[in-house]
Amino acid sequence: MHRERVQHVRAIMREQGLDVLVLLGNTNVAYATGAIWPLADSGRANFEQPVALVLLDDEWPHLFSPVREGDRLHMELPSDHIHGPVYLDFDEGVEVFASQLAGLVPAGAVVAIDEWTNALRRERSLLFASDAPVDGGRVISRAKAIKTPDELSCMREGLRITERAAAEVQARLAPGVRQTDLTATFLRTIFDAGADANILDPIWQVMPSRIADGPWTTTGDLACPLLSTERELVEGDVLWVDTGISYAGFHSDFGRTWIVGREPDARQRAQFERWRAIMDAVLDVTRAGATAAELTAAATNAAGGIKPWMPHFYLGHGLGIDSAEMPYVGSDIGEAFDAALVLAAGMVLVLEPIVWEDGAAGYRSEEVLLITEDGWEPMTDYPYDPF
């Protein structure tokens, strides 16, 4: 699996005329090298982080890692491709990195980099020619988008573990139970089942009946997700559930709406039926070759002309080695981006429309699916109880 990834990255580099790819983003490094390390946030949690170097004419990537050998889980890189840490947040660290690259990167090579630190920008002349390096994030985003059979197998297992844990939590749902009690059940179950990590703190958010009840975002939108607390649940609470785990380095995503201690009333059931109609309309146009704009148009039309997703999120997003990655559908990147984004077979997409009706607390669920040439295949199999 890891070798296929590197081959795919190098093929894209060759197509784009790149000789060298420098990677700082945590999951980008993990994708290129197979490295998994403790506290691997999808962003840059601190300056002590692995860095990857992919050379067009070298079948093995180089890994610069602060993680001790006994803690590192990575593909079988040759020993001369595993290096000590570099600290690219500091001028001195960039100087050390530059001296190491001098022995690896040929003169005049075309370089791409996915992220910058302030020190990298200050000392850029040590590493790069006068022309600005290409955006290496585009290489990795494109490589990540199409999943291999091995990657899909790992993702399906991660989703199964997540759903098994969600079922354990839902069975405990009752008045008097704390949100943190639900989290404890979830965490115990996923780790007993083989998860690497919990990559999204479990959200069991009690939704307000009305937006005016708050809390809300600075733009006046629904505030979601909010962290769990010691709050005891009461009968009738409507929970928007959102969480995900890591299994073999791949992330899962899970979302449902639950009600504590009672069945949904007629108004709440009607919200679910509207949500189902929106989801079905989107699924009807989801296939390889469709644009993100076609999906957003189908959702908006089915919702009576209103975009059925939160402005600070999206109608859908990709899933893989990140919990949210390309493709993005209906994001705040804009309509032109949606019109240009074309789905391809092998992409994994998480759809998460919402229905909000003031006074009834709304409905939200997520579905994970694999894009195929003639449609899609479900990757999730969890019921909509109590709806």
Side-chain angles (χ1 to χ4, degrees):
M1 179 173 66
H2 297 310
R3 291 186 183 187
E4 284 184 338
R5 284 179 179 172
V6 177
Q7 291 170 358
H8 190 32
V9 169
R10 290 168 60 214
I12 296 173
M13 290 172 61
R14 185 173 292 106
E15 179 183 316
Q16 297 187 4
L18 302 176
D19 300 307
V20 182
L21 183 61
V22 179
L23 301 172
L24 279 67
N26 283 346
T27 55
N28 290 347
V29 174
Y31 184 85
T33 67
I36 301 174
W37 58 95
L39 305 177
D41 186 82
S42 59
R44 299 184 65 244
N46 60 54
F47 62 83
E48 193 174 56
Q49 66 174 86
V51 174
L53 180 72
V54 182
L55 304 175
L56 182 62
D57 58 356
D58 190 341
E59 73 171 300
W60 300 104
H62 289 264
L63 176 65
F64 300 81
S65 174
V67 181
R68 296 187 304 273
E69 185 67 34
D71 294 336
R72 186 190 297 126
L73 300 175
H74 57 75
M75 60 190 289
E76 293 302 317
L77 294 174
S79 59
D80 62 349
H81 283 58
I82 301 176
H83 311 273
V86 290
Y87 302 100
L88 300 184
D89 283 281
F90 304 104
D91 295 345
E92 296 86 347
V94 177
E95 293 171 5
V96 170
F97 190 48
S99 67
Q100 292 174 299
L101 291 190
L104 298 172
V105 176
V110 180
V111 181
I113 187 169
D114 65 336
E115 294 184 8
W116 290 88
T117 66
N118 288 331
L120 274 172
R121 288 194 180 278
R122 284 193 299 270
E123 305 292 340
R124 60 186 300 157
S125 62
L126 294 176
L127 298 171
F128 310 115
S130 56
D131 293 337
V134 175
D135 179 7
R138 294 178 179 269
V139 176
I140 293 295
S141 291
R142 181 174 164 190
K144 287 178 179 177
I146 306 299
K147 305 300 188 287
T148 68
D150 288 332
E151 290 177 318
L152 291 171
S153 178
C154 291
M155 293 180 67
R156 288 190 174 99
E157 181 60 21
L159 290 165
R160 280 194 291 270
I161 291 172
T162 306
E163 293 182 358
R164 189 182 315 158
E168 292 285 340
V169 172
Q170 193 171 9
R172 287 204 60 190
L173 203 62
V177 174
R178 298 173 301 173
Q179 290 174 307
T180 48
D181 294 332
L182 302 181
T183 296
T185 297
F186 183 83
L187 295 180
R188 184 197 67 236
T189 306
I190 65 168
F191 288 120
D192 285 350
D196 302 328
N198 169 226
I199 50 90
L200 175 62
D201 284 347
I203 305 299
W204 327 104
Q205 182 170 332
V206 179
M207 297 304 296
S209 292
R210 302 171 304 156
I211 290 182
D213 296 335
W216 52 83
T217 68
T218 55
T219 58
D221 300 314
L222 288 171
C224 179
L226 298 178
L227 295 177
S228 296
T229 69
E230 296 272 340
R231 171 177 178 164
E232 292 186 358
L233 302 176
V234 301
E235 183 175 319
D237 276 346
V238 175
L239 305 187
W240 280 14
V241 178
D242 196 358
T243 191
I245 71 165
S246 172
Y247 174 79
F250 292 91
H251 294 180
S252 69
D253 200 357
F254 177 87
R256 284 293 186 270
T257 296
W258 295 339
I259 301 178
V260 178
R262 70 169 62 158
E263 293 295 305
D265 60 27
R267 191 175 179 188
Q268 290 168 330
R269 289 189 182 279
Q271 285 185 137
F272 169 72
E273 294 299 332
R274 288 200 295 277
W275 178 90
R276 184 69 261 179
I278 293 167
M279 179 64 78
D280 288 343
V282 175
L283 293 175
D284 282 346
V285 299
T286 298
R287 61 181 52 82
T291 65
E294 291 178 69
L295 274 62
T296 59
T300 302
N301 291 337
I306 300 172
K307 292 181 178 179
W309 63 89
M310 288 180 282
H312 54 287
F313 279 113
Y314 19 61
L315 174 64
H317 61 84
L319 183 67
I321 205 165
D322 283 299
S323 57
E325 61 184 36
M326 287 289 289
Y328 291 104
V329 178
S331 72
D332 59 6
I333 302 174
E335 294 181 359
F337 177 84
D338 285 331
L341 192 153
V342 180
L343 299 180
M347 288 181 173
V348 173
L349 186 62
V350 183
L351 293 174
E352 49 180 279
I354 66 168
V355 168
W356 178 263
E357 182 181 339
D358 237 31
Y363 185 88
R364 173 187 181 275
S365 280
E366 296 181 86
E367 293 297 332
V368 185
L369 50 100
L370 171 66
I371 305 299
T372 64
E373 291 291 351
D374 57 356
W376 54 273
E377 296 176 4
M379 294 186 69
T380 45
D381 183 27
Y382 197 88
Y384 299 103
D385 295 344
F387 296 87

